[in-house]
Amino acid sequence: MNAYIWFFLLFGACFGALSFSRRHWFSEGPQKPAGDNGATATMASRLFWVMVCTFLWPIMLLTGLNSAWILAKRKSGPSHARR
């Protein structure tokens, strides 16, 4: 059982480290907040994001999929809505 827990936490930490630059997909929506160019990110903000994702990566993954679906709908344009 401990191996499952360690794998869950390790996967979550990797997910957090890899998704930091696109964290707006998981909370504020598909658009980056104004003034957030990534250059102002501190080590504390990166560490906090990784810690959140370590324990909540399944929820974060679902919210990211929702944002991806919204983006795909938006890219398809109004012609897709008429069908």
Side-chain angles (χ1 to χ4, degrees):
M1 189 65 161
N2 286 337
Y4 294 116
I5 294 170
W6 284 111
F7 179 71
F8 181 90
L9 296 176
L10 179 67
F11 183 83
C14 292
F15 177 80
L18 294 173
S19 66
F20 179 77
S21 63
R22 291 187 165 78
R23 64 190 182 277
H24 57 280
W25 287 359
F26 303 97
S27 58
E28 291 102 17
Q31 302 281 324
K32 275 191 177 185
D36 185 18
N37 60 4
T40 59
T42 63
M43 186 55 96
S45 64
R46 289 181 187 270
L47 181 63
F48 183 72
W49 179 256
V50 169
M51 287 174 27
V52 166
C53 287
T54 297
F55 297 103
L56 300 176
W57 68 263
I59 295 169
M60 302 303 271
L61 186 64
L62 289 175
T63 58
L65 289 173
N66 182 47
S67 291
W69 181 63
I70 290 170
L71 283 174
K73 244 176 45 173
R74 191 177 295 168
K75 283 183 182 180
S76 67
S79 63
H80 178 69
R82 289 185 215 152
R83 292 182 191 171

